[in-house]
Amino acid sequence: MKVERVREKDGKLELMAELSGAEVAQELNEIALAEIAKNEYDFDHNGDQSAVAFLRDRLGSDEAAFVFDEALMRKRASFALTAAQVDIIGSPVYRCLEHATEGKPFEYHLVVVLVPEMELENYDPVSITVPSYTVKKDEVDEEIERMVKASSVNVTDESHETVIKGDKVELKLETTMDGKKVRPLCTDGRQYSTGSQTMPDDFDEAIIGMKVGETKTFKFLGPDTVLNEDGTPKMDEYECTATVNRILTAQAPTINDGWASTVRAGVKTVAELREVVEKEIQEKHDDDYRRLAENLAGNELAKRLVGKIPDLVYGVAVKEAKENLVKNLKEQQNMTVEEYLEKEGQTEQQLNQQLMMNIRQQLTRQFALNAFAKHRGLIAEEDDMNAYFESIAPGKANFAHRDFKKDGRMYAARCAATRLKAARIVVKEANVTKLGQ
């Protein structure tokens, strides 16, 4: 991929990106396969027709060209920004003169809003106030109790023989649909908790009231993966023969040295386990403290920012925040903004004000840390990159690093790592006042 700077003016930068014929062919194939999978098109992967040709036939040449161009430009934008080492606000705007065609080079332009370079009034140490913390005995007790529950084993409950709501039971099941066995629901000993809503209500109601050893045949309705024309789940009818083998109850282990040695490697006694748990809780709070201190220090630094955030930068950031909100509500909660506002009891004006306040705080902190990093001549080294990936994916830094590299976002990660490095230096040099617990 070749990337060139075309022009820079008024806080905007235009880049030209050119992909080779081989790169275009690979990208179009991946885009086609992704679209086919997303829309569940009936495509023969072993057939003679390529995924690209299939999608063109399915959508029509004009619609397919739009899908390919948009996806290709969007997907390769992060690689272009990394190649040009550009830190931006918001999303790029794309344009191309010719459609992407497999085997042929593809050129497109993207216009981005640059992160502005700003200065601070001074670079003296900041003053922050944070809470102090000491692990409490109750916290250790609660964590030990959680470990005990996790170590519990199910044994036969002989206190009653009729299943009531909330009981965990062991069932023998034989289930069919249209006369054919439903293998996931055929077992000699499946554990099931009544009232847990993990099975349809009809199934739950049939099990409640049965006695240990009793066998019952009943029917229940369950949702299919196929939707009806109105978008509601299609319901399938199952016939089930169930036998209650036994009612179960959780039996907690005795808290002694023998149990403690099975919970944590290297631990031999309950006293040692308590020490390990206390250390883990303290480390968790230390990590929370560090994050809080970095946030507070960044906010204090932001108060020293000289000048005003350009309207273009602010407008682009707010626009992106609104778009992300709409997208997340739809994908995570299947909800529109209007439905969200009604649920939260907010007006659109209140939501906009909240978004603008959040964006202003984020931008001023980001630009202040950039200014501090530039003043100190900070560069994100390998350890700083690892620290950043660990901060966004605790315990999974390697996976985060892999994903950023795969998506071409390494320069964006380096900029963020530099800001994190700056924040930690600001905290280290800060005048810190610690409150009581």
Side-chain angles (χ1 to χ4, degrees), residues 41-68:
Y41 293 143
D42 186 16
F43 171 63
D44 183 2
H45 291 267
N46 298 318
D48 295 332
Q49 190 178 36
S50 69
V52 175
F54 172 85
L55 195 63
R56 282 206 176 100
D57 288 346
R58 180 77 189 222
L59 300 180
S61 297
D62 292 341
E63 177 66 19
F66 172 80
V67 169
F68 283 129

Side-chain angles (χ1 to χ4, degrees), residues 148-193:
V148 169
K149 289 182 178 179
S151 302
S152 298
V153 295
N154 290 319
V155 297
T156 302
D157 185 352
E158 297 180 348
S159 65
H160 59 289
E161 62 175 21
T162 300
V163 179
I164 60 177
K165 187 174 183 178
D167 275 345
K168 176 178 279 190
V169 293
E170 182 183 274
L171 302 173
K172 178 180 179 181
L173 301 174
E174 189 72 20
T175 309
T176 61
M177 184 178 73
D178 296 333
K180 297 180 181 178
K181 278 190 177 183
V182 181
R183 297 199 176 278
L185 295 177
C186 293
T187 174
D188 287 333
R190 173 173 175 167
Q191 293 184 6
Y192 171 69
S193 295

Side-chain angles (χ1 to χ4, degrees), residues 326-358:
V326 172
K327 180 181 177 182
N328 290 337
L329 285 174
K330 182 178 180 181
E331 292 181 353
Q332 298 176 15
Q333 302 182 43
N334 193 28
M335 185 183 296
T336 65
V337 173
E338 290 74 18
E339 292 169 337
Y340 170 78
L341 290 173
E342 184 178 353
K343 177 185 174 185
E344 296 297 319
Q346 274 188 317
T347 65
E348 186 173 358
Q349 183 180 8
Q350 290 173 324
L351 176 63
N352 288 338
Q353 289 174 343
Q354 182 181 336
L355 279 174
M356 288 188 286
M357 289 175 62
N358 291 342

Side-chain angles (χ1 to χ4, degrees), residues 44 99 116 157 169 202 221 294 302 374 417:
D44 183 2
H99 295 309
D157 185 352
V169 293
D202 293 347
L221 295 176
E294 289 167 5
K374 181 182 177 182

Side-chain angles (χ1 to χ4, degrees), residues 395-414:
K396 299 180 180 179
N398 290 339
F399 294 103
H401 182 276
R402 179 201 63 192
D403 290 342
F404 269 75
K405 187 173 183 179
K406 178 174 67 71
D407 296 338
R409 295 182 291 153
M410 287 304 293
Y411 186 72
R414 189 167 296 280

Side-chain angles (χ1 to χ4, degrees), residues 130-145:
V130 295
S132 59
Y133 180 78
T134 302
V135 179
K136 304 173 187 65
K137 177 180 178 297
D138 289 348
E139 290 181 279
V140 178
D141 292 341
E142 288 175 6
E143 180 60 17
I144 295 292
E145 181 62 26

